[in-house]
Amino acid sequence: MIIMKNILSKHKLGLIKILLSTLLLIEGFVLECFDLSLMSWTVYIFAYGIIASRILINSIRDIFKEKKIGEELLMTVVSLGAMIIGEFFEGILVLVLYTVGEMFGNIASDSSRRTIETLVSIRPDKARLCSGDIVNVNKVEIGDLIEVYPGERIPLDGDVIDGTGYVDTSVMTGESDGREVRVGSEVLAGFLNGESVLKIRVKRTANSSAAQRIIDLSQNALEKKTKGEKFISVFAKIYTPVVIVLA
């Protein structure tokens, strides 16, 4: 519920533009069906202004500042071309659908970033050795023994060597129910310990823990393009100008 409120708050302006332009698009279509051409054209122009303003500005910026021809310029040419030949409904609908798709893409990216931030925030940076010393997790080595008290998060991956109880694994696995652990059970960094003290033999360092691997994979997925995406980017540099010229 909170996540949905954050999404609505961040994309509020985009949602308002989509809703207003869609309502005006429907109104214009109805007026056109009743042969009220002048009124329908007026409504269509208002709808176009609402949904196309940002796309037009970005396409102009791409040409004069970024020195490139992007998809927003392609959308601009397509929509204006449709408007010029009298297909107002189709021209505006293209921009509405494009804006909706772009917004969902941004929401997905934001969701991935929030997942990474959550993992980073709940991953402990300190570990309690069985000797009683509390040290930075980066100083703990494979084979060291650590203790985790009830209510604390497990700082490093390892195997339980003493203690039984339940751990909350939801942050790592998404499972809402607690998991029972006993001697020999594997536990991962980020698990929330339940009601008993657990003694754990560390089996992975902080930099190679399951939580760190998930963070690294998620960050790489956001920051690095796949081979397919790189090919599409190169292909688009040729494809997009050709399509615009043909249009």
Side-chain angles (χ1 to χ4, degrees):
M1 199 62 187
I2 295 175
I3 294 175
M4 183 59 68
K5 287 182 179 179
N6 290 335
I7 291 173
L8 292 175
S9 176
K10 185 172 183 179
H11 299 278
K12 183 178 180 180
L13 181 59
L15 285 170
I16 291 173
K17 285 185 175 182
I18 290 170
L19 289 173
L20 282 176
S21 57
T22 301
L23 290 173
L24 289 172
L25 186 62
I26 294 171
E27 183 181 353
F29 179 76
V30 172
L31 291 171
E32 192 175 6
C33 290
F34 286 95
D35 292 327
L36 300 172
S37 299
L38 183 59
M39 292 180 65
S40 67
W41 292 347
T42 303
V43 172
Y44 280 143
I45 290 171
F46 274 110
Y48 185 81
I50 291 171
I51 199 66
S53 56
R54 181 188 59 82
I55 297 172
L56 288 170
I57 292 170
N58 289 343
S59 63
I60 294 172
R61 183 201 62 196
D62 287 345
I63 295 174
F64 294 102
K65 189 175 180 180
E66 304 294 335
K67 306 298 183 183
K68 69 176 184 179
I69 297 176
E71 60 183 14
E72 289 181 325
L73 179 59
L74 182 59
M75 292 296 104
T76 300
V77 172
V78 169
S79 60
L80 286 176
M83 300 277 281
I84 289 170
I85 64 174
E87 300 295 341
F88 291 88
F89 183 86
E90 286 79 0
I92 299 168
L93 184 60
V94 165
L95 295 186
V96 171
L97 295 177
Y98 172 77
T99 305
V100 170
E102 191 180 41
M103 186 178 68
F104 276 113
N106 292 334
I107 290 173
S109 297
D110 291 343
S111 178
S112 298
R113 290 189 180 91
R114 280 194 300 272
T115 300
I116 295 172
E117 290 169 359
T118 300
L119 282 173
V120 171
S121 65
I122 59 88
R123 186 184 55 181
D125 57 1
K126 300 289 184 181
R128 181 183 293 102
L129 301 177
C130 285
S131 62
D133 295 333
I134 297 178
V135 299
N136 190 288
V137 291
N138 294 317
K139 295 183 178 180
V140 181
E141 299 180 354
I142 295 174
D144 286 350
L145 302 180
I146 61 174
E147 286 183 329
V148 182
Y149 290 175
E152 293 181 342
R153 289 199 179 273
I154 296 171
L156 296 156
D157 298 355
D159 296 317
V160 178
I161 62 170
D162 187 29
T164 59
Y166 286 86
V167 293
D168 180 352
T169 67
S170 58
V171 71
M172 293 291 292
T173 66
E175 299 174 358
S176 57
D177 296 333
R179 178 189 297 177
E180 185 180 7
V181 294
R182 52 173 60 91
V183 175
S185 298
E186 182 186 34
V187 290
L188 303 178
F191 285 4
L192 181 63
N193 188 24
E195 71 279 1
S196 63
V197 178
L198 297 177
K199 289 185 179 181
I200 300 167
R201 187 184 303 278
V202 176
K203 64 189 298 183
R204 298 186 191 93
T205 61
N207 291 331
S208 59
S209 67
Q212 185 61 48
R213 292 201 301 273
I214 292 173
I215 292 171
D216 291 341
L217 286 171
S218 300
Q219 288 177 332
N220 290 337
L222 289 174
E223 295 172 1
K224 294 183 179 180
K225 290 184 177 181
T226 64
K227 291 182 179 179
E229 287 176 319
K230 290 178 180 178
F231 170 76
I232 291 172
S233 296
V234 174
F235 178 74
K237 290 180 180 179
I238 302 171
Y239 168 81
T240 306
V242 170
V243 169
I244 289 175
V245 171
L246 292 176

